[in-house]
PDB file of all heavy atoms in Angstrom:
ATOM      1  N   PHE A 697       3.339   5.752  32.975  1.00  0.00           N
ATOM      2  CA  PHE A 697       4.053   5.808  31.698  1.00  0.00           C
ATOM      3  C   PHE A 697       5.513   5.360  31.802  1.00  0.00           C
ATOM      4  O   PHE A 697       6.345   5.749  30.993  1.00  0.00           O
ATOM      5  CB  PHE A 697       3.993   7.227  31.091  1.00  0.00           C
ATOM      6  CG  PHE A 697       2.607   7.759  30.943  1.00  0.00           C
ATOM      7  CD1 PHE A 697       2.158   8.799  31.736  1.00  0.00           C
ATOM      8  CD2 PHE A 697       1.738   7.203  30.032  1.00  0.00           C
ATOM      9  CE1 PHE A 697       0.868   9.289  31.610  1.00  0.00           C
ATOM     10  CE2 PHE A 697       0.448   7.688  29.890  1.00  0.00           C
ATOM     11  CZ  PHE A 697       0.014   8.725  30.682  1.00  0.00           C
ATOM     12  N   GLU A 698       5.817   4.517  32.780  1.00  0.00           N
ATOM     13  CA  GLU A 698       7.197   4.057  32.948  1.00  0.00           C
ATOM     14  C   GLU A 698       7.567   3.001  31.915  1.00  0.00           C
ATOM     15  O   GLU A 698       8.740   2.829  31.596  1.00  0.00           O
ATOM     16  CB  GLU A 698       7.406   3.503  34.369  1.00  0.00           C
ATOM     17  CG  GLU A 698       7.266   4.553  35.462  1.00  0.00           C
ATOM     18  CD  GLU A 698       8.227   5.720  35.285  1.00  0.00           C
ATOM     19  OE1 GLU A 698       9.388   5.465  34.912  1.00  0.00           O
ATOM     20  OE2 GLU A 698       7.809   6.871  35.474  1.00  0.00           O
ATOM     21  N   GLU A 699       6.583   2.248  31.399  1.00  0.00           N
ATOM     22  CA  GLU A 699       6.857   1.206  30.416  1.00  0.00           C
ATOM     23  C   GLU A 699       6.478   1.701  29.023  1.00  0.00           C
ATOM     24  O   GLU A 699       5.552   2.493  28.850  1.00  0.00           O
ATOM     25  CB  GLU A 699       6.077  -0.070  30.757  1.00  0.00           C
ATOM     26  CG  GLU A 699       6.410  -0.652  32.126  1.00  0.00           C
ATOM     27  CD  GLU A 699       7.854  -1.076  32.243  1.00  0.00           C
ATOM     28  OE1 GLU A 699       8.434  -1.471  31.202  1.00  0.00           O
ATOM     29  OE2 GLU A 699       8.421  -1.005  33.346  1.00  0.00           O
ATOM     30  N   GLU A 700       7.160   1.168  28.005  1.00  0.00           N
ATOM     31  CA  GLU A 700       6.955   1.603  26.625  1.00  0.00           C
ATOM     32  C   GLU A 700       5.510   1.419  26.145  1.00  0.00           C
ATOM     33  O   GLU A 700       4.989   2.268  25.417  1.00  0.00           O
ATOM     34  CB  GLU A 700       7.926   0.871  25.689  1.00  0.00           C
ATOM     35  CG  GLU A 700       7.798   1.272  24.231  1.00  0.00           C
ATOM     36  CD  GLU A 700       8.093   2.740  23.989  1.00  0.00           C
ATOM     37  OE1 GLU A 700       8.954   3.294  24.718  1.00  0.00           O
ATOM     38  OE2 GLU A 700       7.452   3.333  23.113  1.00  0.00           O
ATOM     39  N   PRO A 701       4.793   0.308  26.499  1.00  0.00           N
ATOM     40  CA  PRO A 701       3.400   0.179  26.008  1.00  0.00           C
ATOM     41  C   PRO A 701       2.458   1.253  26.529  1.00  0.00           C
ATOM     42  O   PRO A 701       1.321   1.337  26.094  1.00  0.00           O
ATOM     43  CB  PRO A 701       2.992  -1.210  26.512  1.00  0.00           C
ATOM     44  CG  PRO A 701       4.270  -1.946  26.686  1.00  0.00           C
ATOM     45  CD  PRO A 701       5.262  -0.922  27.159  1.00  0.00           C
ATOM     46  N   ILE A 702       2.896   2.085  27.487  1.00  0.00           N
ATOM     47  CA  ILE A 702       2.125   3.182  28.101  1.00  0.00           C
ATOM     48  C   ILE A 702       0.704   2.754  28.454  1.00  0.00           C
ATOM     49  O   ILE A 702      -0.267   3.448  28.141  1.00  0.00           O
ATOM     50  CB  ILE A 702       2.151   4.455  27.235  1.00  0.00           C
ATOM     51  CG1 ILE A 702       1.585   4.224  25.845  1.00  0.00           C
ATOM     52  CG2 ILE A 702       3.543   5.034  27.143  1.00  0.00           C
ATOM     53  CD1 ILE A 702       1.444   5.509  25.018  1.00  0.00           C
ATOM     54  N   CYS A 703       0.590   1.576  29.109  1.00  0.00           N
ATOM     55  CA  CYS A 703      -0.678   1.141  29.720  1.00  0.00           C
ATOM     56  C   CYS A 703      -1.805   1.046  28.702  1.00  0.00           C
ATOM     57  O   CYS A 703      -2.964   1.334  29.017  1.00  0.00           O
ATOM     58  CB  CYS A 703      -1.083   2.075  30.851  1.00  0.00           C
ATOM     59  SG  CYS A 703       0.236   2.497  31.995  1.00  0.00           S
ATOM     60  N   MET A 704      -1.494   0.679  27.492  1.00  0.00           N
ATOM     61  CA  MET A 704      -2.490   0.503  26.435  1.00  0.00           C
ATOM     62  C   MET A 704      -3.119   1.821  25.976  1.00  0.00           C
ATOM     63  O   MET A 704      -4.126   1.833  25.277  1.00  0.00           O
ATOM     64  CB  MET A 704      -3.580  -0.492  26.837  1.00  0.00           C
ATOM     65  CG  MET A 704      -3.071  -1.897  27.042  1.00  0.00           C
ATOM     66  SD  MET A 704      -4.386  -3.108  27.302  1.00  0.00           S
ATOM     67  CE  MET A 704      -4.971  -2.614  28.923  1.00  0.00           C
ATOM     68  N   PHE A 705      -2.554   2.968  26.377  1.00  0.00           N
ATOM     69  CA  PHE A 705      -2.959   4.229  25.761  1.00  0.00           C
ATOM     70  C   PHE A 705      -2.530   4.222  24.299  1.00  0.00           C
ATOM     71  O   PHE A 705      -1.515   3.621  23.941  1.00  0.00           O
ATOM     72  CB  PHE A 705      -2.304   5.414  26.478  1.00  0.00           C
ATOM     73  CG  PHE A 705      -3.059   5.920  27.679  1.00  0.00           C
ATOM     74  CD1 PHE A 705      -2.898   5.312  28.918  1.00  0.00           C
ATOM     75  CD2 PHE A 705      -3.923   6.982  27.575  1.00  0.00           C
ATOM     76  CE1 PHE A 705      -3.568   5.770  30.033  1.00  0.00           C
ATOM     77  CE2 PHE A 705      -4.612   7.455  28.686  1.00  0.00           C
ATOM     78  CZ  PHE A 705      -4.445   6.840  29.921  1.00  0.00           C
ATOM     79  N   THR A 706      -3.284   4.893  23.437  1.00  0.00           N
ATOM     80  CA  THR A 706      -2.961   4.971  22.011  1.00  0.00           C
ATOM     81  C   THR A 706      -3.045   6.415  21.545  1.00  0.00           C
ATOM     82  O   THR A 706      -3.719   7.252  22.173  1.00  0.00           O
ATOM     83  CB  THR A 706      -3.914   4.117  21.161  1.00  0.00           C
ATOM     84  OG1 THR A 706      -5.278   4.539  21.410  1.00  0.00           O
ATOM     85  CG2 THR A 706      -3.757   2.635  21.488  1.00  0.00           C
ATOM     86  N   GLN A 707      -2.347   6.696  20.442  1.00  0.00           N
ATOM     87  CA  GLN A 707      -2.412   8.024  19.830  1.00  0.00           C
ATOM     88  C   GLN A 707      -3.629   8.084  18.899  1.00  0.00           C
ATOM     89  O   GLN A 707      -3.872   7.164  18.130  1.00  0.00           O
ATOM     90  CB  GLN A 707      -1.136   8.296  19.015  1.00  0.00           C
ATOM     91  CG  GLN A 707       0.158   8.096  19.779  1.00  0.00           C
ATOM     92  CD  GLN A 707       0.503   9.246  20.706  1.00  0.00           C
ATOM     93  OE1 GLN A 707      -0.209  10.248  20.737  1.00  0.00           O
ATOM     94  NE2 GLN A 707       1.590   9.116  21.458  1.00  0.00           N
ATOM     95  N   ASP A 708      -4.394   9.169  18.996  1.00  0.00           N
ATOM     96  CA  ASP A 708      -5.564   9.351  18.127  1.00  0.00           C
ATOM     97  C   ASP A 708      -5.095   9.502  16.676  1.00  0.00           C
ATOM     98  O   ASP A 708      -4.153  10.232  16.386  1.00  0.00           O
ATOM     99  CB  ASP A 708      -6.338  10.597  18.551  1.00  0.00           C
ATOM    100  CG  ASP A 708      -7.720  10.664  17.911  1.00  0.00           C
ATOM    101  OD1 ASP A 708      -7.923   9.984  16.889  1.00  0.00           O
ATOM    102  OD2 ASP A 708      -8.592  11.385  18.430  1.00  0.00           O
ATOM    103  N   LYS A 709      -5.760   8.780  15.756  1.00  0.00           N
ATOM    104  CA  LYS A 709      -5.376   8.847  14.347  1.00  0.00           C
ATOM    105  C   LYS A 709      -5.897  10.094  13.641  1.00  0.00           C
ATOM    106  O   LYS A 709      -5.479  10.393  12.529  1.00  0.00           O
ATOM    107  CB  LYS A 709      -5.880   7.599  13.609  1.00  0.00           C
ATOM    108  CG  LYS A 709      -5.200   6.313  14.049  1.00  0.00           C
ATOM    109  CD  LYS A 709      -5.680   5.144  13.222  1.00  0.00           C
ATOM    110  CE  LYS A 709      -4.983   3.851  13.634  1.00  0.00           C
ATOM    111  NZ  LYS A 709      -5.432   2.695  12.828  1.00  0.00           N
ATOM    112  N   ASN A 710      -6.828  10.820  14.268  1.00  0.00           N
ATOM    113  CA  ASN A 710      -7.450  11.960  13.597  1.00  0.00           C
ATOM    114  C   ASN A 710      -6.970  13.297  14.140  1.00  0.00           C
ATOM    115  O   ASN A 710      -7.579  14.329  13.886  1.00  0.00           O
ATOM    116  CB  ASN A 710      -8.981  11.870  13.720  1.00  0.00           C
ATOM    117  CG  ASN A 710      -9.534  10.638  13.037  1.00  0.00           C
ATOM    118  OD1 ASN A 710      -9.118  10.304  11.938  1.00  0.00           O
ATOM    119  ND2 ASN A 710     -10.465   9.957  13.688  1.00  0.00           N
ATOM    120  N   ASP A 711      -5.879  13.292  14.929  1.00  0.00           N
ATOM    121  CA  ASP A 711      -5.357  14.563  15.426  1.00  0.00           C
ATOM    122  C   ASP A 711      -4.253  15.065  14.514  1.00  0.00           C
ATOM    123  O   ASP A 711      -4.023  14.521  13.433  1.00  0.00           O
ATOM    124  CB  ASP A 711      -4.888  14.411  16.868  1.00  0.00           C
ATOM    125  CG  ASP A 711      -3.826  13.323  17.010  1.00  0.00           C
ATOM    126  OD1 ASP A 711      -3.394  12.781  15.976  1.00  0.00           O
ATOM    127  OD2 ASP A 711      -3.447  13.002  18.152  1.00  0.00           O
ATOM    128  N   ASP A 712      -3.533  16.115  14.956  1.00  0.00           N
ATOM    129  CA  ASP A 712      -2.503  16.739  14.118  1.00  0.00           C
ATOM    130  C   ASP A 712      -1.106  16.224  14.420  1.00  0.00           C
ATOM    131  O   ASP A 712      -0.247  16.193  13.542  1.00  0.00           O
ATOM    132  CB  ASP A 712      -2.545  18.262  14.299  1.00  0.00           C
ATOM    133  CG  ASP A 712      -3.903  18.842  13.936  1.00  0.00           C
ATOM    134  OD1 ASP A 712      -4.377  18.551  12.821  1.00  0.00           O
ATOM    135  OD2 ASP A 712      -4.483  19.574  14.757  1.00  0.00           O
TER     136      ASP A 712
END
Side-chain angles (χ1 to χ4, degrees):
F697 306 110
E698 295 302 320
E699 300 298 330
E700 181 62 33
I702 59 173
C703 314
M704 296 188 291
F705 274 84
T706 57
Q707 307 282 357
D708 193 340
K709 293 184 179 180
N710 297 317
D711 57 6
D712 301 308

